[in-house]
Amino acid sequence: MMKNNTVLIIEDNKKCRKLLRTLLELEEYHVLEAADAENGISLIQKEKPALILMDIKLPGADGLEAAQRIKNDPVLKEIPIVAVTAYAMNNDKEKALTHGCDGYLTKPISIMSFLDTVTGFVKKKDPTKRRFRKSHKSRILIIDDDPRNVKLLMGKLPDKYEIITAYNGEDGLEKTYKEFPDLILLDIMMPGMDGYEVTGRLKNNPDTRDIPIILITALDGTDDKIRGLNVGADEFLSKPIDTAELQARVQSLLRLKTYHEQLITRTQSQQAFMTPDRYDESEEKLDDFPMIVLIEDSALDAKLILACLDGLPYQIRTFGNGKDAVAFVQKEQADIVLLDLNLPDMDGFEFLDNLRKTEHNKNTQVVVITGSDDHESKLRSIELGTDDFLLKPVDREEIRARTNALIRKKAYLDQLNDRFETALNAAITDRLTMLYNHTYFKHFLEREIKRSHRQNHPLALIMIDVDNFKKYNDTRGHLAGDRVLQQTSRIVRDNIREIDLAARYGGEEFAIVLPHIDMKDALAVAERVRKAIAAHAFPREAPFPPDKVTVSMGVAFSPTDAASVEELIKKADQQLYRAKDEGKNCVCTTEHLSLAEDKK
């Protein structure tokens, strides 16, 4: 049995062994040491460490020969080996990998990246020890070759994020493939593989292309920004980095990533239940070109901006004042608004306030275009939800690249917020409650659990049962019971997030799947639903004695409680039965019991 926290160092140099041991013990690894290959292999056979760090140049049998012997042993072959050498030749890395090594480090050891490399190999070979956060934090990967820049960026980000670091492009790619961060802050100017190449590789990989990337650089040239946007970067920030702007951009992109993932999951799940003809009918009609609204009081500036956008497949409406623009967006949907802050009848901030009040424009992307590099105005624009900020005179290629990127972003948000609310079909919907049905619920839950495990995100499942429902059905009739189920389903739907999924599990049972949520927040959702049902005024002919409808609820979590669909449902059901035994009208989990405050 492999010992998950043990690392074996096979190294004949005492000073090097001491350095490696000290670094490993700082992270609470259990360290074993050997000065030659023979003693090292004996320790491996006896102790079964989680990782082997082995010098290539050893007395007697060298490290490459020892690695080959270990990999030829059926009992030991799964233990990862990282080759370490002080005399790196051009083909040494290839030799090490050919002889069975899983990784390669050169001396002197880079203290900054050494522990990350070790942890990565231990995690890779031992998924049961993968760190799970009960309190979910979005993971941000910072890739920069200058440790001072990494430290500076870490200081600008709040504690609600988990930070991962890499100090070159190759290490950044490896960290991305192992950790699947939620967002990447990437320096452009790095030795070897620069930020453009890293971005291109990640955006061309189906497994990583949806991870948002913010390119960060000291370069001022517009060509550099355009190149970054064209290789797929989602944002581009110039040094020195403003803290408020960085935090706003990070939060916006993380929110978009969550929406996009839910869109993909629901699209894939629904396709599995639709015949090709039925799915084709639910596809969006794209007869109309996206709408761009340009609000600019300077006729010359408006003409220049229109010339920059000439040839793009968009409709463009131009307004010289805020009042006419407000009247237009109150009636029509805009995909992008290009907004001058200095308007003759109102400032741009007042227009933004009016725009956000229109429900059909809640996802409209706003680009502020101004002739003044006013830091305060820029921050205020970001706080009010603008999506970009450009200085006059605008560069033709930059505004075209940014416009195309924002059109794609708008499409993602629209598809999530609108399409799936209106295009549900009978194959996946419970006709009585208009929630998702049992079959679709299980299909969706299976996909979410797999993604939860892959990305190390917590997932909650709430099972709900209407108390005393059989008794009510037997005395009041099934039509009255149906009305209770319909209204209960509406209450459930109104009290969850748009990324959550509510379903009728069967009979008087409901289920809620909550992705990206920790225990505290999941319990808050369950309590909100329970209280809303208990407080709801059901029809006069439909009340339960004593004149109210209540529900019992059980909550379980993946991966802490279960790693499969059936096991997670079983655990949530167990807590639901416990809630019934506790007197009903309450919420139970494996670690928590929440009795109704109004329960008598």
Side-chain angles (χ1 to χ4, degrees):
M1 182 68 181
M2 191 182 297
K3 296 189 177 180
N4 297 322
N5 204 40
T6 299
V7 177
L8 171 61
I9 303 169
I10 306 178
E11 167 65 69
D12 62 321
N13 186 300
K14 291 183 179 180
K15 290 183 178 180
C16 189
R17 282 206 309 269
K18 182 179 180 180
L19 172 62
L20 295 177
R21 181 180 69 247
T22 302
L23 291 174
L24 291 167
E25 288 178 345
L26 284 173
E27 290 295 302
E28 299 182 347
Y29 287 104
H30 177 229
V31 181
L32 300 174
E33 298 178 37
D36 57 67
E38 293 301 330
N39 285 319
I41 291 175
S42 296
L43 278 173
I44 296 167
Q45 293 169 336
K46 179 181 178 182
E47 300 290 342
K48 308 296 190 300
L51 175 68
I52 302 164
L53 298 173
M54 181 151 54
D55 185 20
I56 289 180
K57 305 295 183 181
L58 292 171
D62 66 17
L64 297 182
E65 181 183 340
Q68 204 159 33
R69 287 172 58 186
I70 294 166
K71 292 301 182 180
N72 287 333
D73 188 323
V75 178
L76 307 178
K77 65 181 181 180
E78 296 301 324
I79 301 175
I81 303 171
V82 175
V84 183
T85 182
Y87 305 102
M89 304 297 289
N90 288 336
N91 61 346
D92 275 358
K93 184 173 182 179
E94 288 71 20
K95 281 184 179 179
L97 298 177
T98 301
H99 283 74
C101 294
D102 302 275
Y104 185 84
L105 290 172
T106 57
K107 302 174 187 176
I109 296 297
S110 170
I111 296 175
M112 286 290 187
S113 58
F114 171 70
L115 289 174
D116 284 341
T117 301
V118 171
T119 303
F121 276 103
V122 172
K123 284 184 180 180
K124 181 178 179 182
K125 293 300 179 180
D126 183 21
T128 63
K129 295 299 288 183
R130 188 175 185 182
R131 188 157 47 96
F132 176 73
R133 303 172 302 280
K134 284 190 175 182
S135 178
H136 168 61
K137 289 185 177 183
S138 295
R139 284 175 301 231
I140 297 177
L141 171 60
I142 301 174
I143 308 174
D144 196 307
D145 61 309
D146 189 337
R148 294 170 298 179
N149 291 337
V150 172
K151 186 175 182 180
L152 181 64
L153 285 171
M154 292 175 67
K156 290 180 179 291
L157 294 169
D159 291 338
K160 65 180 179 179
Y161 301 126
E162 177 184 340
I163 307 300
I164 309 165
T165 59
Y167 296 91
N168 57 64
E170 292 84 354
D171 192 24
L173 288 176
E174 186 176 353
K175 291 287 179 63
T176 303
Y177 299 142
K178 288 182 180 178
E179 301 286 349
F180 282 96
D182 298 294
L183 182 140
I184 298 172
L185 298 175
L186 173 60
D187 185 35
I188 288 181
M189 303 302 291
M190 295 185 294
M193 187 185 300
D194 64 18
Y196 296 126
E197 185 176 352
V198 173
T199 301
R201 290 196 183 190
L202 292 176
K203 291 301 182 180
N204 287 321
N205 186 326
D207 294 331
T208 57
R209 65 188 175 195
D210 295 323
I211 299 175
I213 297 175
I214 299 179
L215 287 178
I216 297 177
T217 184
L219 299 173
D220 294 326
T222 299
D223 291 344
D224 300 305
K225 296 182 180 181
I226 295 168
R227 184 181 175 190
L229 293 169
N230 286 338
V231 296
D234 299 88
E235 290 285 358
F236 195 106
L237 295 176
S238 297
K239 298 175 183 178
I241 301 299
D242 179 83
T243 302
E245 182 178 4
L246 173 66
Q247 292 181 2
R249 297 302 187 201
V250 166
Q251 185 173 349
S252 174
L253 287 173
L254 287 173
R255 184 168 59 247
L256 176 62
K257 179 175 182 287
T258 300
Y259 287 165
H260 188 205
E261 287 174 348
Q262 292 304 311
L263 170 64
I264 292 173
T265 299
R266 295 194 184 197
T267 300
Q268 292 172 342
S269 296
Q270 288 195 359
Q271 284 176 328
F273 288 84
M274 295 179 183
T275 64
D277 290 342
R278 182 174 295 165
Y279 186 74
D280 290 342
E281 291 174 359
S282 72
E283 288 293 329
E284 290 184 304
K285 304 294 183 183
L286 297 177
D287 298 331
D288 297 328
F289 292 125
M291 172 66 72
I292 296 177
V293 175
L294 171 60
I295 309 171
E296 172 60 72
D297 63 320
S298 167
L300 177 59
D301 286 344
K303 184 178 180 179
L304 292 173
I305 293 171
L306 289 173
C308 291
L309 299 174
D310 184 47
L312 293 178
Y314 306 135
Q315 305 176 71
I316 303 179
R317 292 293 301 269
T318 305
F319 298 93
N321 62 73
K323 181 179 178 181
D324 291 343
V326 168
F328 179 80
V329 298
Q330 286 177 341
K331 296 178 181 179
E332 304 290 339
Q333 184 180 54
D335 293 283
I336 295 180
V337 170
L338 304 176
L339 175 65
D340 183 15
L341 287 180
N342 299 313
L343 299 174
D345 54 342
M346 66 174 68
D347 66 21
F349 301 121
E350 186 177 347
F351 171 83
L352 276 173
D353 185 55
N354 281 280
L355 178 72
R356 296 309 183 195
K357 289 178 180 177
T358 60
E359 179 65 21
H360 57 275
N361 283 309
K362 64 183 179 181
N363 295 327
T364 297
Q365 305 296 290
V366 178
V367 180
V368 167
I369 301 179
T370 179
S372 172
D373 191 8
D374 178 3
H375 184 69
E376 183 178 344
S377 295
K378 186 174 185 179
L379 291 183
R380 187 178 175 193
S381 299
I382 294 172
E383 290 169 358
L384 289 174
T386 62
D387 301 274
D388 224 324
F389 192 98
L390 294 176
L391 287 175
K392 298 177 183 178
V394 297
D395 179 86
R396 180 178 185 274
E397 295 304 320
E398 182 176 6
I399 193 172
R400 290 167 76 92
R402 290 188 180 276
T403 299
N404 290 332
L406 290 174
I407 287 292
R408 291 194 298 269
K409 178 181 175 183
K410 169 70 161 47
Y412 289 148
L413 295 173
D414 282 348
Q415 285 177 315
L416 180 67
N417 292 330
D418 300 328
R419 175 182 172 191
F420 290 105
E421 291 297 321
T422 59
L424 297 179
N425 58 76
I428 60 173
T429 306
D430 175 68
R431 293 185 179 182
L432 176 65
T433 63
M434 297 309 294
L435 298 179
Y436 288 101
N437 62 23
H438 177 97
T439 305
Y440 177 74
F441 153 73
K442 293 186 72 173
H443 189 82
F444 178 82
L445 180 59
E446 181 176 10
R447 286 184 175 273
E448 281 298 311
I449 287 177
K450 288 179 179 178
R451 189 159 64 86
S452 168
H453 292 174
R454 184 174 65 252
Q455 300 184 0
N456 197 21
H457 289 308
L459 169 77
L461 171 65
I462 303 176
M463 297 297 294
I464 307 171
D465 186 82
V466 180
D467 296 328
N468 305 312
F469 187 76
K470 185 177 184 304
K471 179 180 178 181
Y472 177 77
N473 249 358
D474 291 343
T475 57
R476 301 292 180 115
H478 288 87
L479 290 178
D482 287 349
R483 286 191 288 273
V484 168
L485 294 178
Q486 289 171 333
Q487 294 194 26
T488 299
S489 68
R490 283 198 294 271
I491 296 170
V492 170
R493 190 168 51 237
D494 290 344
N495 283 276
I496 61 177
R497 304 168 302 174
E498 60 184 1
I499 67 170
D500 301 330
L501 181 135
R504 185 184 183 190
Y505 190 76
E508 67 273 22
E509 278 194 277
F510 300 89
I512 306 174
V513 181
L514 300 97
H516 292 263
I517 199 166
D518 59 21
M519 181 177 293
K520 179 181 177 182
D521 290 340
L523 290 175
V525 172
E527 275 293 283
R528 183 167 66 244
V529 171
R530 183 195 64 77
K531 290 180 179 179
I533 293 171
H536 181 70
F538 283 83
R540 185 73 179 173
E541 72 273 16
F544 285 89
D547 298 331
K548 66 178 180 180
V549 174
T550 64
V551 294
S552 299
M553 308 172 80
V555 188
F557 299 87
S558 176
T560 50
D561 291 332
S564 68
V565 170
E566 299 302 331
E567 188 65 19
L568 188 62
I569 294 173
K570 179 180 178 181
K571 290 293 180 68
D573 268 340
Q574 288 173 349
Q575 297 309 311
L576 174 60
Y577 301 146
R578 178 182 163 206
K580 294 285 189 183
D581 293 340
E582 293 287 346
K584 303 176 182 178
N585 188 23
C586 63
V587 179
C588 285
T589 77
T590 51
E591 300 183 20
H592 179 89
L593 171 65
S594 170
L595 292 174
E597 296 174 1
D598 54 352
K599 182 171 174 284
K600 304 296 183 183

